[in-house]
Amino acid sequence: AETYRHESRLRLSSQLTPLPKGISVYSKVQRTDVQSEIQSIAMKALKEARAQKLPLVELEFPPLLGGAKAKSNFDDYTNIDVLDRNRDWAMEFCSSNDLASLGKDLWIIFPDDKELELTLENFPGKKFNQATLTTIDAAARKNGSGERAFQENFFSGKWFSSGLKKVTQPEAESEAEAGASEAPPDVLFVVQPGDGGPMEDWLNVELMSGQGESTLVVLNGQLDRLRDGYYPPLIFPKVAQCTDRFYRKFEPILYLKPLLDKGFSGWLYRVYPEPWQVIIQQKEDGETGTVVASLDERPSYNEAV
């Protein structure tokens, strides 16, 4: 711990992005827009990542922070709660005017047909019609292997603008596919792959990558589970191989993970291209907490604690 405290003195914490306000258990700020602040920080990081032409990036943070339906680590919640918040976060983030500056073509990719259906029901209107909405399986087949995806899984802005239509002949080229760009999308935004769903999702995400100068963004995919060996290689050899070949290459451009130990709480935090921050939050630390370490290399959870 002293090594990290000493190293932290080599940097000025004022030059680092502060924590979003209102996330401390000691916070006195009554906020309902914590996720809006996280979105602003994520947008800044994603723009920088795109400028540096990073092909594989991840956004990892507690999606249930803030808002009327906020949940903390001490509350009970289900994977449905997490799926709903990640879906809403993705749509709100990707409908931002700022995102248009990242490229002209965006795909938002959901875990399965049900999540796609719920998205269409909950986010009607022109504001949310600009991106192509699809599923992991469909995007992997269309963008990865070149096979034509089933059109009921593919919804583009052009199809939205002419009204949603029911497709009855899967063999025929749909208006959705006709509306989707033949060139690789500039940004592929994958929402919560694998976590709570089939592990094939993680394998399929790899099939989407390596397309020109596209940036593939994984939102709250729990990639640490893969990299930390949560799934034993002897039982899940394909997942282990995919992790070594693919997921270890991801750059965390926004990472916010709670740290808990013996009456202390804090965060492991990083905003690209800044270093990693280990932040302690005690009652006397205020809203932003105290940066006890800033590191070029990511510490493990145990090292951070």
Side-chain angles (χ1 to χ4, degrees), residues 184-195:
D186 297 296
V187 177
L188 299 96
F189 202 91
V190 188
V191 182
Q192 196 180 332
D195 183 34

Side-chain angles (χ1 to χ4, degrees), residues 105-259:
D105 195 9
L106 164 70
W107 290 6
I108 309 176
I109 303 167
F110 296 94
D112 54 37
D113 292 343
K114 183 60 178 178
E115 286 303 305
L116 178 59
E117 179 183 342
L118 289 171
T119 302
L120 298 174
E121 291 176 358
N122 286 279
F123 291 91
K126 184 177 180 181
K127 179 181 178 181
F128 304 106
N129 294 354
Q130 305 308 309
T132 294
L133 308 184
T134 185
T135 64
I136 290 174
D137 179 64
R141 283 182 284 151
K142 182 175 178 66
N143 200 46
S145 66
E147 296 179 16
R148 193 169 296 281
F150 288 116
Q151 60 275 8
E152 62 263 33
N153 292 338
F154 240 92
F155 297 86
S156 72
K158 289 186 178 179
W159 198 14
F160 271 121
S161 63
S162 62
L164 294 176
K165 298 180 179 179
K166 198 77 173 179
V167 178
T168 57
Q169 295 182 336
E171 304 82 17
E173 180 178 72
S174 71
E175 291 183 47
E177 290 189 24
S181 173
E182 291 302 320
D186 297 296
V187 177
L188 299 96
F189 202 91
V190 188
V191 182
Q192 196 180 332
D195 183 34
M199 283 186 290
E200 287 80 7
D201 285 355
W202 280 314
L203 304 180
N204 282 334
V205 170
E206 184 182 15
L207 298 178
M208 307 175 201
S209 66
Q211 302 295 315
E213 295 186 356
S214 297
T215 298
L216 193 154
V217 183
V218 168
L219 171 66
N220 287 333
Q222 294 287 337
L223 302 189
D224 283 347
R225 285 189 178 187
L226 299 176
R227 295 182 292 237
D228 293 343
Y230 182 85
Y231 300 101
L234 289 178
I235 302 176
F236 305 101
K238 288 186 177 181
V239 172
Q241 293 164 11
C242 179
T243 298
D244 290 338
R245 182 178 61 240
F246 181 60
Y247 285 107
R248 295 192 188 281
K249 298 178 181 179
F250 272 73
E251 182 76 32
I253 61 171
L254 171 61
Y255 189 95
L256 181 65
K257 184 172 185 175
L259 302 172

Side-chain angles (χ1 to χ4, degrees), residues 31-60:
R31 292 172 60 94
T32 58
D33 60 347
V34 172
Q35 293 298 333
S36 294
E37 188 169 350
I38 292 176
Q39 288 177 5
S40 296
I41 296 170
M43 182 64 71
K44 170 187 170 185
L46 182 54
K47 285 183 176 181
E48 183 64 28
R50 284 282 293 164
Q52 298 301 319
K53 298 184 178 181
L54 299 185
L56 305 171
V57 302
E58 63 178 297
L59 303 172
E60 190 71 41

Side-chain angles (χ1 to χ4, degrees), residues 25 71-77 260 265:
V25 294
K71 304 280 186 179
S72 73
N73 288 337
F74 307 105
D75 296 321
D76 293 329
Y77 57 86
L260 300 171
S265 66

Side-chain angles (χ1 to χ4, degrees), residues 244-286:
D244 290 338
R245 182 178 61 240
F246 181 60
Y247 285 107
R248 295 192 188 281
K249 298 178 181 179
F250 272 73
E251 182 76 32
I253 61 171
L254 171 61
Y255 189 95
L256 181 65
K257 184 172 185 175
L259 302 172
L260 300 171
D261 183 60
K262 298 178 181 178
F264 289 89
S265 66
W267 301 89
L268 179 59
Y269 184 44
R270 199 256 176 138
V271 179
Y272 181 83
E274 299 171 9
W276 291 85
Q277 302 180 55
V278 179
I279 300 173
I280 190 171
Q281 283 193 318
Q282 296 175 282
K283 195 170 184 178
E284 60 271 21
D285 287 322

